[in-house]
Amino acid sequence: GGEGARCVCSAWAVPEASVSFELPWLNATVTEGHRDLTVMAAPGPATVTGILTLRGALEPRAAVVCRARNPHGSVREQLRFQHPGGLVWAKVGPVGAVVAFAIVIALVCYLSQSRRK
């Protein structure tokens, strides 16, 4: 959607890994130092988390790949991406879902009573 997305990738490695994100649909790699990438180290010496903020409308075929790398090697993992339309109930929340369900039930009851008259 027009809201963008926040991609989170954590890696545990000794020595500590560097985290980057690949955006294949843009043919781009976002590394530490980019304005949209925040990298945080956990209190321990081995965990690092990268948070990439994507702004604006995303392409339907958007894919984001996280890469963690240290002197011993690297690992790539494609992040699961859900279209915002699939998260409607998560945005409404459980109380909103119950209210919406109650409204639907009330509407069905009203229509069935109207037909009987």
Side-chain angles (χ1 to χ4, degrees), residues 50-90:
I51 302 171
L52 175 65
T53 303
L54 299 174
R55 294 175 173 79
L58 300 176
E59 293 209 7
R61 59 187 177 95
V64 178
V65 177
C66 170
R67 179 185 292 270
R69 179 186 325 234
N70 76 1
H72 298 292
S74 68
V75 176
R76 294 177 72 230
E77 186 71 35
Q78 182 166 338
L79 302 180
R80 290 181 290 182
F81 181 77
Q82 293 181 333
H83 191 273
L87 300 175
V88 170
W89 291 112

Side-chain angles (χ1 to χ4, degrees), residues 12-107:
W12 184 89
V14 176
E16 188 175 277
S18 63
V19 174
S20 62
F21 290 89
E22 297 172 9
L23 310 172
W25 84 97
L26 294 174
N27 198 24
T29 300
V30 180
T31 58
E32 203 169 331
H34 189 277
R35 66 182 174 91
D36 293 327
L37 177 60
T38 303
V39 178
M40 301 175 293
T47 303
V48 64
T49 300
I51 302 171
L52 175 65
T53 303
L54 299 174
R55 294 175 173 79
L58 300 176
E59 293 209 7
R61 59 187 177 95
V64 178
V65 177
C66 170
R67 179 185 292 270
R69 179 186 325 234
N70 76 1
H72 298 292
S74 68
V75 176
R76 294 177 72 230
E77 186 71 35
Q78 182 166 338
L79 302 180
R80 290 181 290 182
F81 181 77
Q82 293 181 333
H83 191 273
L87 300 175
V88 170
W89 291 112
K91 289 180 182 178
V92 170
V95 173
V98 170
V99 170
F101 185 68
I103 290 171
V104 169
I105 295 297
L107 184 61

